[in-house]
Amino acid sequence: MNIRAALQALKEAGVEFLIIGGWSAILHGSAHVTNDLDLCYSRRRENLQKLVAALAPFHPRPRGFPPELPFLWDQATLANSTILTLSTELGMLDLIAEVPGVGTYEEAIAGCVELELFGHLVLTLDLPTLIVAKKATGRPKDLLALPELESLLEATDDP
């Protein structure tokens, strides 16, 4: 995943998003590696327009979608989706309208911190909220990440 180019495109377009998942864990010090970028985004109409425009040059397409079938990357597709797992020329990108156990973009902001990544200020889930989200997914890979995340949280807590 070319996260630097993805962030550049999203930030230049003024897209409202926050980083969740594996990259959020990495930003908090996790040693785990991830091959995709998971984002939660605002579903406001203007933001959907910006998100579609920002990613269009990178030819997003659902992962595993047969290449012979047409796919229309537009605002309606994004508005009618809760989770889009995309392959792009930048790499794998997961667009998630609602963070499990946390809620919509607007609700998730309350559990975010702002950090610098590749010269851009980005929002990402704070550790307690990331732990809630990982538990809520219930996926084995997310549950396996919990001990490390909980240790990172414990290490950052004031005595």
Side-chain angles (χ1 to χ4, degrees):
M1 178 68 199
N2 186 342
I3 190 168
R4 182 184 303 252
L7 291 178
Q8 182 77 25
L10 294 167
K11 294 299 270 186
E12 283 181 0
V15 175
E16 294 176 321
F17 69 94
L18 54 97
I19 297 173
I20 61 175
W23 267 100
S24 184
I26 290 167
L27 289 170
H28 289 293
S30 171
H32 287 273
V33 176
T34 184
N35 294 323
D36 66 357
L37 176 61
D38 302 316
L39 301 176
C40 177
Y41 58 94
S42 169
R43 295 186 93 173
R44 290 183 317 105
R45 184 177 29 157
E46 301 82 20
N47 196 60
L48 296 178
Q49 292 169 343
K50 291 175 183 178
L51 184 53
V52 167
L55 295 180
F58 306 107
H59 306 103
R61 192 163 174 80
R63 280 199 299 276
F65 200 68
E68 66 275 5
L69 293 179
F71 172 69
L72 185 58
W73 173 246
D74 64 3
Q75 185 178 337
T77 297
L78 196 52
N80 292 321
S81 301
T82 304
I83 298 175
L84 275 173
T85 56
L86 301 170
S87 291
T88 74
E89 291 175 2
L90 297 171
M92 294 185 292
L93 180 65
D94 294 350
L95 299 178
I96 300 162
E98 294 186 16
V99 181
V102 179
T104 65
Y105 169 85
E106 289 75 13
E107 293 166 326
I109 286 177
C112 282
V113 294
E114 189 174 56
L115 301 172
E116 186 175 337
L117 181 59
F118 299 118
H120 299 283
L121 290 176
V122 295
L123 289 174
T124 189
L125 297 178
D126 61 23
L127 271 171
T129 306
L130 180 59
I131 290 168
V132 166
K134 293 281 187 187
K135 286 179 180 177
T137 66
R139 298 181 309 180
K141 74 176 193 171
D142 291 321
L143 298 176
L144 287 172
L146 287 174
E148 180 191 35
L149 294 175
E150 289 166 343
S151 293
L152 287 168
L153 179 61
E154 187 176 305
T156 61
D157 281 346
D158 293 330

